[in-house]
Amino acid sequence: MRVAKLFVLAVFLMIALTVAPAAAKDTIKVGAILGVTGPASFLGAPEAKTLEMLVDDINKKGGVKGKKIELIIKDSSASPEKAISFAKQLIEEDKVFAIIGPSTSGETMKIKNIAEEGKTILLSCAAAEVIVNPVAKYVFKTPQKDSDAVIKIFQQMKKMGITKIGVLSSNTGFGKAGKEQIEKLAPEHGITILVNEVYDKAASDLTAEVTKLKAGNVQALLNWSIEPAQSIVIKNARQIGLDVPIFQSHGFGNIQYVQAAGAAAEGVIFPAGRLLVVDELSKKDPQEAVLAKYKKDYETKFKEDASTFGGHAYDALMILVKAIENAGADKEKVRDAIENMKGFVGTGGVFNFSPEDHNGLDINSFEMLTVKNGKFSVLKK
Amino acid sequence: MELFFQYMVAGITYGAIYSIVAIGFNIIYNTTGIINFAQGEFVMLGGMIAVTLNNFMPLPSAILATVLITMIIGALIEMIFIRWLVNPSVLRMIIITIGISIIIREAALHIWDEKVRALPYFTGTEVTSILFFGAHISPQVLWVIGICSVVVVLLNLFFNFTMRGRQMRACASNRNSARLCGINAKNMVTLSFVLSAGIGALAGCVISPITYVHYDSGAPLAIKGFTVAIFGGLGNSMAAVVAGLILGILESFSI
């Protein structure tokens, strides 16, 4: 009797096991590892919302090539340890078609090899250039390169006649990668770094750091971080009367940072994609239509301001969808399709991928922005 | 010289923030002999609730309401998780408080969201500063220092000169003897949670314009506050303030 029961159970299990993959064949599984909560939630939360919105939309319209997308979002809270285990889980257990994310550079670097070994396409939403330099076969990224951001800032400094600067960065992957680029590129652009300080990502007050900058008589402050600390730093700088121009990284592209810093944020200069200033773009701009639609959809659905970070997830998913449309649902072919994609208009810029360039964006994808009356605005030269 | 004062002011700012958190640790230690690792979460709750209430009412009443609400939460936590334990070991209670801190943090994430919030500056704005011996100091720092001092003085008076305060201290030094003297030890423990939750919430309100507050901001503050509480010799609020200032100034001058 007992044996019979076991036998029935085994048969059921076998049916279940064979049926499940058959059902899954009709969907394309896309994994996403995003820092929805935790210190990088400024990035991860809009990214996750964007993906959910887009996937709903695509599935309502019948999916990609007749297949629905099944989105699996994992919240890594910006912890590299969690990102590693989620990456393994997505690749080995869920057998996803591709992974979008992670949100931060530190996490992406930790799972770069895992994606490479698992032969799974990884479309990172993080900024550091090291993600795609050296190029890894399966790893792509959608945000602009941090080296381009640094060059753009240095060019602006040159225009303003600034040569001596103070650099602050946080002890995260993003901060470290940015600091390296700044140190590497400064001599070429005739910039001298007088003060170079690293602070903890959970820092609650940075008065001492900005005091050191004031003591060093710098002509400008350049801060590189993605945490709330970047609001704290400008507040403290203004409080102690350090009234030099303040430059931030492209990580400043979320209006919440401006709101958090209030009056202190006025006049902060930073490079960013054009999403933030879509109202000021001319209709002739190739990105205008894409940006205006994404911004409107996002803002009507979630009742909060769209940020460039959500845009990175938009680009990642849409590039993947476009590649699947062109090449069919085959991992290798899709990978090749992404690598050879040219002229894809996304929120970050116009992407031109090549076997040497897995980012596809150049320095022109950045615009110098500033904060005016609590809003982002194009910096008038 | 100007810079010396500026570093000093930065250090005092850090120190005041650390001390006001450390005081909360001390109160519970004083009555129960345990370290409440959920103290940082009381600070976080204070900031979050105040920001929410400030949308409906003016700042002073929002802060007052926040302190009361957090006190009630503190009492509930003690009654639900700690009060019914029969003869709990100190280690067990400490582990329970760590668990409580995780629960509060996750609950806050679900009630609010992952966004960073802050109360408005009590006086002036983000860029206002007062000149003091050539150093610029934000008025909010003076609020933190002021409230910190008032709390320390009141606590010292309470613990040394009122019957309730003495009863609470008696419970810490010898629970059984205190009970033999007719002190309701369990009520004293509840009272200590209420007090420290209230002070934590008040701290969360005054420091939130400087440090910002989000669901995860309690833990880093608690670690610094804990360090300061230990450095000042557990249980002594006056020493905690001195220790906090020393740590803050050391940090600021070491940059």
Side-chain angles (χ1 to χ4, degrees):
Chain A
M1 194 58 206
R2 216 167 157 184
V3 178
K5 259 189 190 165
L6 266 176
F7 180 72
V8 172
L9 194 71
V11 168
F12 268 114
L13 266 176
M14 273 162 75
I15 294 169
L17 282 173
T18 43
V19 164
K25 276 261 150 64
D26 297 306
T27 63
I28 297 172
K29 277 191 188 176
V30 176
I33 303 171
L34 302 169
V36 184
T37 60
S41 58
F42 274 109
L43 318 170
E47 284 163 0
K49 284 178 185 164
T50 301
L51 290 182
E52 280 165 1
M53 176 179 88
L54 289 175
V55 167
D56 271 357
D57 205 37
I58 292 170
N59 286 345
K60 255 181 224 153
K61 286 179 187 156
V64 190
K65 289 210 139 186
K67 291 185 180 182
K68 300 245 155 127
I69 295 181
E70 186 188 342
L71 182 67
I72 307 168
I73 295 183
K74 303 277 184 193
D75 177 9
S76 69
S77 350
S79 138
E81 292 77 24
K82 280 193 192 166
I84 292 171
S85 60
F86 284 143
K88 287 184 176 155
Q89 195 187 341
L90 287 172
I91 294 171
E92 286 160 19
E93 289 171 27
D94 296 319
K95 303 209 185 321
V96 293
F97 190 84
I99 296 176
I100 292 175
S103 311
T104 67
S105 302
E107 292 169 90
T108 309
M109 292 311 289
K110 285 279 191 303
I111 68 165
K112 193 174 168 181
N113 282 333
I114 299 173
E116 205 61 7
E117 281 161 19
K119 296 196 190 319
T120 303
I121 301 164
L122 183 72
L123 291 145
S124 172
C125 297
E129 191 186 354
V130 283
I131 296 167
V132 291
N133 182 18
V135 168
K137 198 176 168 199
Y138 292 91
V139 180
F140 299 85
K141 79 182 202 81
T142 57
Q144 300 88 343
K145 287 192 281 273
D146 50 2
S147 55
D148 281 345
V150 173
I151 294 172
K152 192 90 183 168
I153 289 173
F154 284 164
Q155 286 170 349
Q156 180 62 31
M157 285 179 173
K158 218 182 266 176
K159 265 185 220 158
M160 295 166 70
I162 294 165
T163 52
K164 295 182 177 68
I165 62 165
V167 178
L168 295 178
S169 54
S170 72
N171 62 349
T172 56
F174 181 79
K176 277 182 214 153
K179 181 169 170 271
E180 275 167 28
Q181 295 292 348
I182 293 169
E183 286 164 355
K184 197 176 93 188
L185 295 164
E188 294 172 29
H189 291 81
I191 304 268
T192 324
I193 301 170
L194 294 181
V195 184
N196 199 345
E197 284 292 330
V198 177
Y199 55 79
D200 187 75
K201 61 181 172 194
S204 52
D205 190 277
L206 296 162
T207 310
E209 278 82 356
V210 289
T211 303
K212 191 158 184 195
L213 257 61
K214 200 183 178 196
N217 282 320
V218 298
Q219 291 172 314
L221 187 174
L222 172 53
N223 176 63
W224 212 270
S225 60
I226 42 168
E227 298 77 26
Q230 60 179 340
S231 295
I232 298 176
V233 84
I234 48 185
K235 215 171 56 175
N236 291 151
R238 294 313 186 211
Q239 275 164 0
I240 65 153
L242 181 71
D243 43 14
V244 298
I246 296 178
F247 291 83
Q248 294 268 13
S249 72
H250 44 315
F252 195 66
N254 189 321
I255 199 77
Q256 289 174 33
Y257 289 123
V258 175
Q259 285 156 356
E266 285 297 301
V268 169
I269 302 169
F270 69 104
R274 295 186 173 79
L275 176 70
L276 303 174
V277 287
V278 64
D279 304 336
E280 293 180 45
L281 288 180
S282 80
K283 292 274 173 208
K284 274 180 234 152
D285 192 290
Q287 281 180 269
E288 205 269 346
V290 171
L291 291 176
K293 181 174 187 312
Y294 168 63
K295 191 172 152 77
K296 190 171 152 263
D297 290 352
Y298 187 91
E299 288 175 359
T300 15
K301 179 146 186 177
F302 299 111
K303 310 266 176 293
E304 63 176 29
D305 287 319
S307 71
T308 50
F309 310 116
H312 299 326
Y314 174 98
D315 293 345
L317 184 71
M318 294 320 265
I319 286 170
L320 182 69
V321 167
K322 180 104 190 287
I324 296 172
E325 276 169 1
N326 290 345
D330 178 275
K331 271 190 200 177
E332 291 301 318
K333 281 182 192 154
V334 167
R335 193 209 76 86
D336 294 341
I338 296 177
E339 195 170 82
N340 295 313
M341 197 179 283
K342 302 271 185 244
F344 176 85
V345 181
T347 64
V350 180
F351 290 83
N352 291 304
F353 290 99
S354 72
E356 295 78 42
D357 184 2
H358 276 195
N359 179 206
L361 292 175
D362 61 10
I363 194 162
N364 294 322
S365 55
F366 275 125
E367 192 76 55
M368 277 319 254
L369 304 187
T370 184
V371 178
K372 215 168 154 187
N373 302 327
K375 289 199 168 62
F376 292 130
S377 167
V378 176
L379 181 70
K380 301 281 181 296
K381 278 147 197 165
Chain B
M1 202 56 196
E2 211 178 277
L3 287 166
F4 176 81
F5 278 114
Q6 192 67 64
Y7 279 119
M8 200 66 162
V9 165
I12 293 172
T13 312
Y14 304 157
I17 295 170
Y18 300 161
S19 331
I20 204 165
V21 179
I23 292 168
F25 279 106
N26 282 339
I27 298 169
I28 292 186
Y29 181 80
N30 266 346
T31 19
T32 58
I34 66 171
I35 302 287
N36 172 25
F37 279 97
Q39 188 61 33
E41 270 58 40
F42 287 148
V43 178
M44 179 270 292
L45 276 181
M48 294 296 248
I49 296 175
V51 171
T52 311
L53 291 181
N54 194 29
N55 293 331
F56 312 109
M57 51 178 92
L59 193 60
S61 42
I63 293 176
L64 193 67
T66 301
V67 171
L68 290 177
I69 293 172
T70 318
M71 280 175 150
I72 295 170
I73 295 174
L76 285 177
I77 285 174
E78 199 278 337
M79 285 175 191
I80 296 168
F81 295 102
I82 310 239
R83 197 181 181 91
W84 56 272
L85 296 176
V86 185
N87 228 345
S89 71
V90 169
L91 186 66
R92 188 168 161 202
M93 290 209 271
I94 289 177
I95 292 173
I96 290 175
T97 66
I98 295 176
I100 295 171
S101 80
I102 297 172
I103 295 173
I104 298 180
R105 194 154 56 226
E106 292 301 316
L109 174 63
H110 287 282
I111 296 171
W112 291 281
D113 48 26
E114 74 300 332
K115 290 196 186 95
V116 171
R117 294 171 163 74
L119 282 177
Y121 275 68
F122 293 6
T123 32
T125 65
E126 288 82 357
V127 289
T128 318
S129 62
I130 298 164
L131 212 56
F132 175 79
F133 284 108
H136 297 265
I137 182 164
S138 167
Q140 193 63 30
V141 174
L142 300 180
W143 275 103
V144 176
I145 296 171
I147 287 178
C148 192
S149 327
V150 172
V151 166
V152 169
V153 171
L154 287 181
L155 276 180
N156 266 312
L157 292 177
F158 174 73
F159 278 121
N160 291 321
F161 299 103
T162 66
M163 193 49 133
R164 260 296 127 71
R166 287 180 180 156
Q167 286 177 343
M168 284 173 81
R169 275 169 52 219
C171 284
S173 51
N174 193 326
R175 204 181 164 100
N176 285 335
S177 311
R179 284 171 66 191
L180 284 175
C181 295
I183 299 171
N184 187 334
K186 296 206 159 177
N187 281 352
M188 290 302 128
V189 175
T190 312
L191 186 60
S192 73
F193 268 81
V194 168
L195 259 183
S196 74
I199 288 172
L202 186 63
C205 294
V206 280
I207 67 173
S208 88
I210 303 177
T211 63
Y212 299 128
V213 54
H214 58 115
Y215 81 95
D216 208 10
S217 62
L221 284 173
I223 290 169
K224 285 285 165 62
F226 176 62
T227 315
V228 166
I230 297 279
F231 187 25
L234 271 172
N236 186 339
S237 294
M238 210 67 108
V241 173
V242 177
L245 291 178
I246 292 176
L247 183 70
I249 290 168
L250 277 179
E251 267 188 15
S252 137
F253 276 97
S254 63
I255 283 165

